[in-house]
Amino acid sequence: MRYVIVSGGVLSGLGKGVTASSIGMLLKSLGYRVTAIKIDPYLNSDAGTMSPFEHGEVFVLDDGGEVDLDLGNYERFLDITLTRDNNLTTGKVYANVIEGERRGDYLGKTVQVVPHITNEIQDWMDRVASIPVDGNGDEPDVCIVELGGTVGDIESAPFVEALRQFQFRVGKENFVLVHVSLVPVVGVVGEQKTKPTQHTVKELRAAGLSPDFLVCRSEEPLEQATKDKLALFCHVSPSHILSAHDVSNLYRVPLLLEEQNTTAMIAEKLGLEMTADRPQLDAWREMADHVDSLENEVTIAMVGKYTGLTDSYLSVIKALQHSAFKVGAKMNISWVDATGLEPESESKDPELYAKSWQDLKAADGVLVPGGFGNRGIEGMILAAQYARENHVPYLGVCLGLQVAVIEFTRNVLGKAGANSTEFDEDTPHPAVIFMPEGSRTHMGGTMRLGSRQTNIQTEDCAAVRLYDGATEIHERHRHRYEVNPDMIADLESAGLQFVGKDTEAQRMEIIELAGHKFFFGTQYHPEFKSRPNRPSPPFFGLVEAAFASQTN
Ligand code: GLN
């Protein structure tokens, strides 16, 4: 097993995740099997309890793991399927060690950060690196390990120390350290400043780790003089100082690294074979060119809650973009704060109210993504009603399906006050109810998480076409509430079709509306399995219909 460690310095948010994914993609294009581990030095056991408002989206895996959004980047770039253990957190490491201590595993020893925590970290990487991820059961050849946070943080110190020891455990010939840093331009002269990078490398070296490569984030390409200076002060060969300047689209990042001979240099260090024939890389280049060449545009109104931080909907945005690339258009997302659509806004914030409705009406399609909690629900219901009544393409994901069902129950079945018991426990018409997995009466269960099967009920539906004729589909879930089974018959006779159900036909997985050009909802989250070259089918359905509606 070879390891490529990606660490970061100076500040967070430099695109370490994209760098790590890009390097993985490049090594994969040589024909190697590549996996990835993300280290998050926070104390949470997993990302499931973290607010997407603060930390970005909670990414969900097949096995039900609720993990950091960087695992989504790896899955998309490397086209692999990861496990919850591919996300290592301080919380998980300490929990294992403390549990072991209680079991008596340490034979009377004092349990300490070094060596017990650091050993646990190394054992974890060793174990998880060999888990097959590409669906054919073979062990990976290379593992990318991304160390979250910035080197020098108190929190990441045990991980840095574990990595220092790890280079000896696995052998230096199997270990490459890539450090991502920032080269800012300050002042009127416009000089590229190397000092922040010098400092972060100094910190790394003091911890016993010397970077093999520096990836320098900057606006413009690194100048030769900057590279020479960094080489001199950072103990890195000038050819190993890589410029990661701004590019026209995300998919250019691996290509940018490739142009600087990165793949060949890493391959040499790790004893991997270079090949001239790299169809994956060619296809990637084509995709990057295609994205840059798009002239048309398609606008989707995203009616949600956390509209301030786009990372809270990262996979949804990706799935929309992948779909837009396929129809041959740029994705323009119009953010509509759901509360702005609510009647109370009209008096409280008339400008917001006017703008929200204007944006909703100007869009080619409407998307209501997943979410929890009360806020904005009435606005989302209004958005669903608007899309239904005006034949505007609509996709509801999880909560988005639930609000569409509530809206239909209220306005088509005429059951005023219909709601989800999540938002109104005493609703006279519970259209959506708490239905934990396993039992309808037992309230001890919690979230329905991870991959579950959906069975398509009829040949005559959009889902069959979008999923290429498949009648059994597997998608990822993260929810507690379901459409009330007692209301299905009424809803169906009024035209809302439940074309996808779980294997017991108890849980409604896909809705479609008869006679509407595209009105689709999924109880699962299809965005998590979208790929740049294989957009998620429901998202593609929305974008395709939205794009077509422009010309009609
Ligand atoms: N809050 C809803 C539920 O728990 C929807 C969840 C979601 O959209 N992920 O069922």
Side-chain angles (χ1 to χ4, degrees), residues 369-373 377 397-402 420 422-423 432-434 447 477-482 522-523 525 527:
F372 294 84
I377 296 298
V397 172
C398 204
L399 178 63
L401 172 145
Q402 297 174 359
S420 164
E422 181 182 7
F423 314 125
V432 177
I433 58 168
F434 183 58
M447 200 102 70
H477 296 68
R478 184 174 188 249
H479 63 108
R480 295 189 176 89
Y481 293 78
E482 304 273 353
T522 63
Q523 187 56 71
H525 287 270
E527 66 270 25

Side-chain angles (χ1 to χ4, degrees), residues 360-421:
L360 183 70
K361 289 180 178 169
D364 306 313
V366 176
L367 172 66
V368 177
F372 294 84
N374 234 327
R375 221 189 92 204
I377 296 298
E378 290 303 320
M380 295 174 202
I381 291 172
L382 288 167
Q385 180 179 12
Y386 163 78
R388 179 178 60 78
E389 290 177 346
N390 295 285
H391 273 266
V392 176
Y394 176 89
L395 175 63
V397 172
C398 204
L399 178 63
L401 172 145
Q402 297 174 359
V403 298
V405 169
I406 296 168
E407 188 277 317
F408 196 86
T409 311
R410 286 186 191 173
N411 301 323
V412 179
L413 297 187
K415 296 186 191 290
N419 215 328
S420 164
T421 53

Side-chain angles (χ1 to χ4, degrees), residues 118-130:
T118 49
N119 281 347
E120 176 68 26
I121 296 168
Q122 294 179 74
D123 294 345
W124 188 294
M125 291 192 290
D126 233 355
R127 178 170 59 81
V128 173
S130 58

Side-chain angles (χ1 to χ4, degrees), residues 19 50 65 147 164 168 189 260 321 343 372 378 380 391 463 482 512 549:
T19 306
M50 294 164 86
L147 175 61
R164 188 196 64 75
F168 298 105
V189 206
Q260 298 172 74
Q321 288 171 342
F372 294 84
E378 290 303 320
M380 295 174 202
H391 273 266
E482 304 273 353
E512 288 182 24
S549 72

Side-chain angles (χ1 to χ4, degrees), residues 246-260:
D246 293 352
V247 281
S248 53
N249 73 62
L250 181 74
Y251 305 110
R252 293 238 172 260
V253 178
L255 304 172
L256 181 65
L257 294 174
E258 174 67 22
E259 278 163 25
Q260 298 172 74

Side-chain angles (χ1 to χ4, degrees), residues 434-446 507:
F434 183 58
M435 215 165 115
E437 216 159 36
S439 156
R440 260 189 81 183
T441 46
H442 184 254
M443 306 290 275
T446 168
R507 297 165 195 274

Side-chain angles (χ1 to χ4, degrees), residues 291-302:
V291 171
D292 275 344
S293 73
L294 300 171
E295 279 168 11
N296 298 314
E297 208 174 75
V298 57
T299 301
I300 300 293
M302 177 103 112

